[in-house]
């Protein structure tokens, strides 16, 4: 079974600074995908970024980048130039091989301070 | 294009009552999922349907049943609600023909069982 670990329950970051959210995963599959989702206080789940296990470059989407270290089994999310609207809970998730199910971590709450 | 819709948004049940949570998607996705979200535990998969006509158990299926009514609709039924089923329930859908198969989520149903 796949396991996702997010060890930071909560983080504070100053507006305009960068923040890194940790995610480690455990799987015996060689083919897998890693996802990050954002959940603002309004409750909806928003897909942010994806990294495939065979992708050679780290994924980037605007201010979001994924620091993928395959040997360490980590897929950390970096949010650059934090904005007040980035205050939310962030979830790391994983899918393996041709299985479409996602396994989620417990989440990290980010609070951006003005 | 509404994406994934869920009804109701809020529900209060007494122990032993039954109810059905409705979910529909208009993105022509093959796969649909039901999750529950509890504090500190991320999202846990209850049931999923890889394609129309199939359903499978996820991580926490006990106390729930599902029906994939057609390609668009996937319902979750609680036959005899228990306080342990107090949670936020999310429905999601994903494509299975083009990667990375990210899941799109509905707005959630907040269920309280007293």
């Amino acid at each position: 079974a796949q396991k996702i670990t997010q060890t930071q329950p909560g983080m504070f970051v100053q507006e305009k600074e960068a923040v890194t959210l940790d995610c480690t995963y455990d799987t015996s599959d060689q083919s897998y995908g890693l996802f990050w989702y954002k959940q603002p206080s309004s409750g909806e789940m928003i897909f942010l970024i994806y990294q495939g296990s065979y992708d050679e470059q780290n994924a980037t989407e605007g201010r979001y980048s994924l620091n993928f270290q395959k040997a360490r089994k980590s897929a950390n999310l970096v949010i650059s130039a934090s904005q007040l609207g980035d205050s939310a809970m962030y979830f790391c998730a994983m899918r393996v091989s041709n299985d479409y199910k996602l396994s989620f971590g417990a989440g990290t709450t980010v609070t951006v301070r003005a | 294009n509404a994406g994934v819709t869920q009804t109701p948004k809020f529900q209060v049940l007494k122990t032993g009552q039954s109810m059905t949570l409705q979910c529909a998607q208009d993105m022509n996705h093959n796969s649909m999922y039901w999750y529950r979200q509890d504090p500190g535990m991320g999202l846990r998969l209850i049931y999923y349907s890889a394609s129309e006509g199939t359903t499978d158990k996820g991580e926490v299926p006990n106390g729930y049943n599902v029906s994939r009514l057609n390609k668009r609709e996937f319902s979750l039924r609680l036959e005899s609600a228990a306080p342990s089923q107090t949670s936020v329930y999310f429905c999601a859908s994903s494509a299975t023909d083009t990667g990375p198969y990210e899941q799109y989520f509905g707005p959630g149903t907040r269920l309280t069982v007293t």
Side-chain angles (χ1 to χ4, degrees):
Chain A
Q2 295 71 243
K3 186 175 180 182
I4 298 285
T5 303
Q6 295 180 254
T7 57
Q8 307 152 309
M11 300 182 71
F12 291 94
V13 60
Q14 207 64 31
E15 197 176 10
K16 299 180 185 177
E17 291 185 350
V19 62
T20 298
L21 310 183
D22 295 340
C23 173
T24 58
Y25 58 92
D26 186 24
T27 181
S28 57
D29 278 68
Q30 296 301 308
S31 175
Y32 51 88
L34 296 152
F35 302 78
W36 278 92
Y37 283 84
K38 173 183 179 181
Q39 186 178 42
S41 59
S42 51
E44 71 269 32
M45 296 286 288
I46 303 166
F47 167 64
L48 294 178
I49 195 167
Y50 167 81
Q51 179 84 42
S53 59
Y54 293 119
D55 294 342
E56 295 186 351
Q57 294 196 343
N58 287 341
T60 60
E61 288 288 347
R63 294 186 298 109
Y64 303 108
S65 60
L66 203 152
N67 184 0
F68 181 47
Q69 298 186 44
K70 196 170 182 177
R72 299 181 62 182
K73 292 191 174 180
S74 75
N76 298 339
L77 177 70
V78 180
I79 307 174
S80 62
S82 295
Q83 302 172 356
L84 296 177
D86 294 334
S87 293
M89 179 163 278
Y90 291 82
F91 292 97
C92 181
M94 180 172 67
R95 169 182 61 76
V96 297
S97 300
N98 291 323
D99 192 345
Y100 305 110
K101 305 192 300 291
L102 291 179
S103 297
F104 283 83
T108 296
T109 300
V110 172
T111 303
V112 181
R113 291 171 164 159
Chain B
N1 196 345
V4 180
T5 57
Q6 291 182 237
T7 54
K9 284 189 166 51
F10 301 93
Q11 184 72 49
V12 179
L13 292 178
K14 294 187 189 309
T15 297
Q17 288 185 320
S18 62
M19 79 162 295
T20 299
L21 281 64
Q22 306 286 353
C23 174
Q25 53 92 9
D26 62 1
M27 295 174 281
N28 202 36
H29 286 164
N30 284 324
S31 291
M32 298 185 72
Y33 315 83
W34 277 105
Y35 294 90
R36 60 178 289 173
Q37 182 179 18
D38 302 293
M41 301 188 74
L43 277 74
R44 293 181 293 168
L45 184 66
I46 305 171
Y47 270 94
Y48 67 102
S49 171
S51 61
E52 188 178 355
T54 69
T55 60
D56 285 289
K57 295 179 181 178
E59 184 185 351
V60 288
N62 291 345
Y64 306 95
N65 284 301
V66 290
S67 295
R68 184 74 182 266
L69 305 170
N70 47 55
K71 190 172 186 179
R72 288 188 65 247
E73 298 172 287
F74 189 37
S75 63
L76 178 72
R77 183 160 178 84
L78 287 70
E79 290 291 351
S80 179
S84 60
Q85 293 178 306
T86 293
S87 188
V88 180
Y89 291 85
F90 286 98
C91 177
S93 70
S94 70
T96 56
D97 49 351
T98 56
Y101 316 124
E102 71 271 24
Q103 293 184 13
Y104 293 85
F105 286 78
T109 295
R110 188 172 294 274
L111 174 67
T112 302
V113 183
T114 61

